[in-house]
Amino acid sequence: MGKALLLIDLQQDFCPGGALAVPGGDQVIDVANQAMACALRAGIPVVASLDWHPGNHGSFAVNAGQDVGGTGILDGLPQVWWPAHCVQGSEGAQLHPRLDQQGIIKRIYKGQQEQIDSYSAFFDNGHRRQTELDDWLHARNVDHLTVMGLATDYCVKFTVLDALSLGYGVEVISTGCRAVNLSPADGRQAMSEMQARGAALITLDEFCQRTAP
Ligand code: VGL
Ligand code: ZN
């Protein structure tokens, strides 16, 4: 019976000024730092996922010869065409400079396979391959996750839904998430969907109160 705090894709490219800027994305960095402080005080491990694409990734509009924000098919799966973002080793792929990185004990890299996207920190979008996250958590007897980060309607949502399917108890720090909102209601709908599937929506204060030693 253990917990972990999972920080999703708090990378420069998802913050204002970045290649796939999420509105208000940088506002969650302080939330992440405070959540991390509460987690570390309670002995809860902190894991960070990073979107980590090769430059020729098939989800990039420029590589697909499509318009950014449009949709199509990538290797048999529905795909949104994104601006090139989080290219391995680039500055935009780095974690946000204000994020307290010393608290992070494990980094999970995803999206490295050229022909498939990977919103979830557990599986690619076709559930063809797993990352090492589930094994890593099992090895530490973690069965409950607190999740926050970017973006609500993509990587947070798919990570949370996979975690629930895998049997984890999941809570989402809703004040620590921001959405891409290609359609204006996407973020709100993603929150409802996560809640309907069994995730608890909580605030940062609730997380810190419940974890206070
Ligand atoms: C994400 C779109 C493409 C995310 C990653 O982190 O939510 N969204 N790649
Ligand atoms: Zn991506």
Side-chain angles (χ1 to χ4, degrees), residues 66-138:
Q66 303 288 334
D67 292 330
V68 167
T71 54
I73 301 289
L74 179 62
D75 201 20
L77 296 174
Q79 178 67 52
V80 178
W81 307 121
W82 300 111
H85 63 279
C86 296
V87 173
Q88 296 169 5
S90 68
E91 193 183 344
Q94 304 308 306
L95 292 169
H96 192 280
R98 275 196 292 107
L99 186 68
D100 290 336
Q101 290 191 40
Q102 72 277 8
I104 298 167
I105 64 160
K106 180 70 182 170
R107 287 169 169 71
I108 298 291
Y109 296 88
K110 63 186 180 63
Q112 294 111 316
Q113 290 175 262
E114 183 190 327
Q115 283 303 320
I116 192 161
D117 215 346
S118 189
Y119 296 145
S120 163
F122 289 98
F123 297 97
D124 62 59
N125 289 3
H127 283 217
R128 294 172 189 164
R129 292 196 197 173
Q130 283 209 41
T131 66
E132 52 181 326
L133 180 55
D134 189 46
D135 287 342
W136 192 91
L137 294 169
H138 272 299

Side-chain angles (χ1 to χ4, degrees), residues 201-211:
L201 306 185
I202 62 166
T203 63
L204 171 67
D205 287 345
E206 286 170 328
F207 174 69
C208 286
Q209 280 157 18
R210 288 177 200 175
T211 53

Side-chain angles (χ1 to χ4, degrees), residues 6-15 22 25 28-29 47-53 85-86 92-96 99 108-110 118-121 148-151 154-156 159:
L6 184 50
L7 305 177
I8 303 295
D9 300 6
L10 297 177
Q11 292 162 278
Q12 299 195 36
D13 269 345
F14 296 122
C15 292
V22 177
V28 308
I29 304 301
V47 180
S49 68
L50 288 93
D51 210 33
W52 198 250
H53 298 304
H85 63 279
C86 296
Q94 304 308 306
L95 292 169
H96 192 280
L99 186 68
I108 298 291
Y109 296 88
K110 63 186 180 63
S118 189
Y119 296 145
S120 163
M148 61 157 284
L150 304 171
Y154 292 94
C155 293
V156 172
T159 298

